[in-house]
Amino acid sequence: TRFGTPGVRGGVRISLRISQEELGRLIGATREMVNKCLRDWAKRRIVRHGRGLLVITNAPFLEAIAGTSENGGGPRRSRRAAAERRAFR
């Protein structure tokens, strides 16, 4: 909840309104790749999104992709997390 507020149906609602194009520029990805990942993650119930709304419903999954954890632990390594990181390159 460091960057958002608890969502109504669980998860963390990110209050920063940002377009997929802006998000892509911040992370070095195309808008199309951001859209593809968000759709995939929504199908897998990792996030919910729409019209400027983003709710993270599976923070541990996203922490694994980033290689960090909220409790200050070191990088987490897994094949799936590595594959998810490669998707943004």
Side-chain angles (χ1 to χ4, degrees):
T1 60
R2 187 168 138 197
F3 297 105
T5 57
V8 174
R9 295 185 303 178
V12 176
R13 181 180 178 160
I14 305 300
S15 55
L16 176 67
R17 289 207 179 275
I18 187 168
S19 71
Q20 292 179 3
E21 185 174 355
E22 291 170 314
L23 180 56
R25 276 185 288 195
L26 288 172
I27 64 173
T30 63
R31 183 205 57 79
E32 292 82 3
M33 182 56 73
V34 169
N35 182 273
K36 181 179 176 179
C37 284
L38 286 174
R39 281 185 291 129
D40 178 59
W41 292 348
K43 285 180 193 172
R44 292 163 48 194
R45 299 176 189 239
I46 298 163
V47 299
R48 290 192 313 266
H49 67 96
R51 298 190 185 232
L53 170 70
L54 180 64
V55 178
I56 298 171
T57 56
N58 188 341
F61 177 85
L62 296 179
E63 290 168 357
I65 291 172
T68 63
S69 65
E70 190 173 273
N71 65 10
R76 295 181 182 177
R77 308 251 187 256
S78 76
R79 281 185 244 168
R80 182 167 197 125
E84 294 286 344
R85 282 192 296 273
R86 283 192 299 277
F88 272 111
R89 291 187 183 148

